[in-house]
């Protein structure tokens, strides 16, 4: 279909405005250094960092995927949001002060200090794979509403989106990313509130009561024996572990701790950005339930009804007045662009700190370092674009696919971090053995899900089991080794 002129004007004004705003940071005097590109030289305000953390958390995966989950099923995935306070409180108590004290922009420098270079390379490789999967999923979900609006091919939309984000990410670095995130976060919240208000206004009387009786507000089964399906406990455990990983060892978040002026402001921004996600995700699920009530009385095309991810884009195109449609499309793009820009900037930073600096044999000038960071940003963007193209053949929901990929690629690296942080006894040998054991468990869980193993677990539990195995095996081996060493010393006296 052809997008009305007013909607097109609103959307283009947002897109061009964001690109120009982001590129403007290239003109700042202190922007032409690797420190400015990766940490903003540690001078960014707490509220902007907090909004950036929030906008990073809320992607088009959330904006489109969560309403789709609520529409097609229930509020089970909201349990993920309920796990955030646990992880954020642990983060501000332990993680933020730790990383501020290390004076390194890399989230994996701590692992190198504890276990050697292999640990940093392993964790950073897992991180990069996770980010590529995330960029690909977001690009794919962003393409859906634009395809419904304009009729352009999805691959073309994915390409245009990737290039748009790339422009200001290359030009302005982390300063452009954080400040555009702040604006995009505000737009995202405004668009969500407006869309939900119009949906509630258009719902027939008794729609939410009918949804309640249809179990649409259910948080899932509370069975403590069912670990194969998305029960309340499976989602809660997954949320706790994946969010501990986010705040504890994810470069996207650790990098933001170091852009703040001091530790106090870093703590404030972390709490603000993480806890803001809970009420906003509540609005997303309410939007999905409202869509369920709305389309009980308004017929849906069969093709749209079979694809939950397309329900909200269809409503935006056909159920909103002109001007508002353009604003909602801009809000969806804001959700996606903020997360994509974060992932490619943080990925480029890891390529710079954990690979370029490590393996370069000669000293690099400031110009060479900045040039590498920009080319690494380009590489991350196009690798994520390739993942998005691969997702075009995916049959299951994009949110389900992302959760599974995040659980697999994370590789239990949270367990390695916790082992190093909690156990002074753990050394390189036990850590390596424990990591191998954790990877084998993750492979077993994923393979068992697909091949009918005697004991199967939900794929989202891969990160839970991988983390626990690495931590417990490493802790046990370290304790045994220390006791054996102590016994030998006593025997030699």
């Amino acid at each position: 279909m052809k997008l009305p002129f007013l909607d097109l004007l609103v959307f283009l004004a947002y897109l061009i405005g964001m690109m120009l705003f982001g590129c403007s940071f290239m003109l700042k005097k202190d922007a032409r250094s690797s420190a400015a590109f990766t940490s903003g030289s540690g001078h960014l305000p707490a509220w902007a960092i907090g909004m950036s953390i929030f906008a990073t958390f809320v992607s088009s995966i959330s904006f489109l995927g969560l309403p789709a989950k609520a529409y097609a099923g229930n509020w089970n995935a909201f349990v993920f949001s309920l796990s955030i306070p646990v992880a954020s409180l642990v983060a501000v108590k332990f993680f933020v002060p730790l990383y501020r004290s290390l004076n390194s922009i890399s989230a994996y420098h701590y692992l190198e200090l504890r276990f050697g270079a292999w640990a940093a390379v392993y964790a950073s490789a897992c991180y990069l794979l996770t980010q590529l999967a995330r960029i690909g999923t977001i690009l794919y979900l962003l393409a859906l509403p634009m395809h419904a609006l304009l009729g352009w091919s999805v691959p073309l939309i994915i390409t245009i989106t990737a290039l748009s984000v790339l422009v200001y990410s290359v030009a302005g670095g982390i300063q452009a990313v954080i400040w555009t995130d702040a604006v995009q976060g505000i737009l995202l919240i405004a668009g969500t509130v407006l869309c939900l208000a119009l949906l509630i206004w258009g719902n027939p009387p008794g729609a939410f009561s009918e949804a309640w009786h249809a179990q649409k507000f259910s948080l899932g089964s509370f069975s403590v024996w069912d670990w194969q399906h998305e029960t309340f406990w499976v989602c809660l455990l997954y949320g706790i572990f994946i969010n501990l990983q986010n705040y504890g060892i994810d470069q996207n978040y650790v990098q933001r701790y170091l852009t703040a002026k001091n530790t106090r402001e870093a703590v404030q921004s972390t709490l603000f950005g993480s806890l803001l996600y809970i009420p906003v995700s509540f609005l997303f699920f309410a939007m999905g339930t409202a869509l369920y009530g709305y389309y009980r009385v308004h017929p849906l095309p069969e093709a749209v009804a079979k694809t939950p991810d397309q329900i909200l884009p269809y409503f935006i195109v056909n159920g909103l007045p002109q001007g508002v449609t353009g604003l909602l499309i801009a809000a969806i793009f804001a959700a996606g662009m903020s997360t994509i820009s974060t992932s490619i900037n943080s990925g480029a930073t890891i390529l710079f700190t954990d690979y370029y600096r490590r393996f370069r044999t000669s000293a690099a000038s400031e110009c060479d370092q900045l040039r590498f960071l920009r080319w690494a940003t380009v590489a991350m963007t196009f690798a994520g674009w390739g993942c998005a193209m691969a997702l075009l053949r995916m049959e299951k929901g994009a949110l389900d696919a992302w959760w599974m990929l995040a659980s697999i690629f994370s590789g239990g690296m949270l367990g390695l971090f916790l082992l190093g942080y909690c156990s002074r006894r753990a050394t390189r040998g036990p850590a390596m053995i424990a990591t191998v054991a954790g990877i084998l468990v993750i492979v077993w869980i994923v393979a068992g899900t697909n091949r009918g193993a005697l004991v199967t677990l939900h794929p989202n539990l891969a990160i839970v089991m991988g983390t626990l195995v690495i931590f417990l095996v490493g802790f046990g081996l370290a304790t045994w080794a220390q006791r054996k060493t102590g016994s030998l010393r006593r025997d030699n006296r």
Side-chain angles (χ1 to χ4, degrees):
M1 63 171 290
K2 185 177 180 180
L3 188 66
F5 176 76
L6 181 59
D7 293 318
L8 182 62
L9 185 63
V10 170
F11 172 69
L12 290 179
Y14 157 77
L15 190 61
I16 296 172
M18 279 297 98
M19 292 174 64
L20 292 176
F21 179 57
C23 290
S24 68
F25 289 91
M26 189 178 183
L27 303 177
K28 297 184 66 174
K29 293 181 179 179
D30 63 344
R32 298 178 183 179
S33 69
S34 59
F37 195 94
T38 58
S39 68
S41 301
H43 296 307
L44 295 175
W47 75 267
I49 299 170
M51 284 301 299
S52 179
I53 290 174
F54 162 74
T56 297
F57 223 115
V58 182
S59 66
S60 53
I61 295 175
S62 302
F63 208 124
L64 295 175
L66 296 184
K69 295 281 283 187
Y71 173 88
N74 53 36
W75 283 44
N76 172 247
F78 183 65
V79 178
F80 177 91
S81 301
L82 300 180
S83 71
I84 290 177
V86 176
S88 60
L89 290 175
V90 172
V92 298
K93 177 67 175 178
F94 302 105
F95 301 154
V96 174
L98 171 66
Y99 286 111
R100 294 281 304 183
S101 68
L102 292 178
N103 196 31
S104 173
I105 197 64
S106 171
Y108 312 111
H109 178 64
Y110 178 75
L111 291 178
E112 183 171 1
L113 294 177
R114 287 292 288 111
F115 302 123
W118 74 270
V121 172
Y122 160 74
S124 62
C126 290
Y127 166 79
L128 290 171
L129 288 172
T130 304
Q131 296 312 300
L132 292 180
R134 190 180 198 188
I135 294 170
T137 305
I138 295 166
L139 285 171
Y140 166 74
L141 281 174
L142 269 177
L144 296 179
M146 289 306 292
H147 174 69
L149 279 167
L150 301 175
W152 299 349
S153 70
V154 173
L156 176 62
I157 298 170
I158 289 173
T159 302
I160 292 173
T161 307
L163 292 176
S164 300
V165 177
L166 175 62
V167 169
Y168 69 79
S169 298
V170 167
I174 192 66
Q175 294 185 78
V177 169
I178 286 180
W179 280 107
T180 54
D181 281 357
V183 176
Q184 289 162 346
I186 294 170
L187 176 61
L188 184 153
I189 294 172
T192 302
V193 171
L194 180 58
C195 184
L196 179 58
L198 292 173
L199 263 172
I200 293 175
W201 180 267
N203 260 242
F208 285 96
S209 177
E210 184 179 345
W212 176 268
H213 291 296
Q215 300 294 311
K216 286 294 181 179
F217 291 97
S218 171
L219 295 178
S221 168
F222 284 85
S223 171
V224 296
W225 307 109
D226 183 5
W227 299 99
Q228 300 179 19
H229 303 96
E230 288 181 309
T231 65
F232 176 93
W233 304 112
V234 168
C235 285
L236 183 65
L237 280 174
Y238 172 79
I240 290 174
F241 276 75
I242 201 71
N243 284 314
L244 281 175
Q245 177 179 288
N246 286 340
Y247 295 117
I249 201 165
D250 190 316
Q251 180 69 21
N252 292 346
Y253 300 88
V254 172
Q255 194 167 341
R256 274 151 181 73
Y257 303 160
L258 302 176
T259 61
K261 298 175 183 177
N262 51 56
T263 300
R264 182 177 60 85
E265 291 199 6
V267 167
Q268 291 174 349
S269 63
T270 302
L271 286 175
F272 171 63
S274 58
L275 297 180
L276 182 59
Y277 180 81
I278 300 174
V280 175
S281 66
F282 178 90
L283 298 179
F284 290 145
F285 282 96
M287 202 154 50
T289 304
L291 285 168
Y292 171 81
Y294 184 86
Y295 284 115
R296 295 284 288 176
V297 296
H298 297 83
L300 268 175
E302 184 177 354
V304 176
K306 290 182 178 179
T307 312
D309 288 335
Q310 295 185 13
I311 299 296
L312 182 57
Y314 181 83
F315 173 77
I316 291 173
V317 174
N318 298 282
L320 295 178
Q322 288 189 26
V324 177
T325 295
L327 176 64
L328 263 294
I329 294 299
I332 293 174
F333 260 73
M337 290 175 72
S338 62
T339 307
I340 294 171
S341 61
T342 293
S343 292
I344 63 177
N345 178 268
S346 297
T349 299
I350 287 300
L351 289 172
F352 173 69
T353 58
D354 289 37
Y355 295 90
Y356 178 77
R357 281 182 172 175
R358 184 186 307 281
F359 298 111
R360 184 182 173 97
T361 57
S362 59
S365 66
E366 189 62 47
C367 183
D368 288 338
Q369 294 181 55
L370 190 59
R371 184 183 299 111
F372 177 86
L373 280 165
R374 286 177 171 155
W375 278 112
T377 301
V378 173
M380 285 294 300
T381 303
F382 280 96
W385 170 85
C387 292
M389 292 301 183
L391 287 175
L392 293 176
R393 299 184 180 181
M394 179 189 65
E395 295 181 356
K396 66 189 302 184
L399 183 64
D400 292 326
W402 157 244
W403 278 19
M404 184 178 70
L405 289 171
S407 190
I408 294 170
F409 287 153
S410 61
M413 58 182 178
L414 174 63
L416 187 60
F417 173 81
L418 294 177
L419 177 63
Y421 188 84
C422 299
S423 175
R424 296 293 95 186
R425 302 173 180 175
T427 56
R428 177 176 179 174
M432 293 183 71
I433 296 172
T435 300
V436 172
I439 293 173
L440 291 176
V441 167
I442 291 169
V443 171
W444 166 70
I445 292 174
V446 176
T449 301
N450 296 324
R451 299 179 183 276
L454 293 177
V455 179
T456 59
L457 297 173
H458 193 278
N460 289 353
L461 291 176
I463 184 176
V464 178
M465 298 306 296
T467 297
L468 290 176
V469 167
I470 290 176
F471 179 78
L472 294 176
V473 170
F475 187 84
L477 288 174
T479 302
W480 174 79
Q482 186 182 53
R483 288 179 178 175
K484 184 177 179 180
T485 301
S487 177
L488 288 174
R489 288 175 179 173
R490 287 192 297 268
D491 292 342
N492 291 333
R493 287 177 180 176

